[in-house]
Amino acid sequence: AFNRRGERSNLTVELNFNTIKAPIEKLAPVGELVIYSEGVEVERMKVLSGEAVEKANFIDKFKDIAQYWTAR
């Protein structure tokens, strides 16, 4: 909700993610964003994935762990 200049707005934003597992397609719904003004819901919208995510295999996971430990 937009207020006149100089007025304060009491907005609350809630971000809820779905339980998701790879693979994920680009623009697949992964959650929901809810905006409240003065405690009243004013907007609700889907949160979409920005890119496709493939399912990782054992080698991919091993590489991630190795990179994590060598970056420390």
Side-chain angles (χ1 to χ4, degrees), residues 10-51:
N10 186 9
L11 293 178
T12 306
V13 178
E14 184 178 290
L15 183 57
N16 302 310
F17 285 102
N18 302 336
T19 301
I20 54 176
K21 287 181 97 174
I24 302 168
E25 295 180 18
K26 183 176 183 176
L27 301 178
V30 294
E32 183 174 68
L33 181 80
V34 186
I35 301 173
Y36 299 91
S37 177
E38 305 293 333
V40 177
E41 182 180 319
V42 293
E43 187 72 42
R44 181 179 292 258
M45 58 192 82
K46 291 180 184 177
V47 174
L48 306 177
S49 65
E51 57 187 54

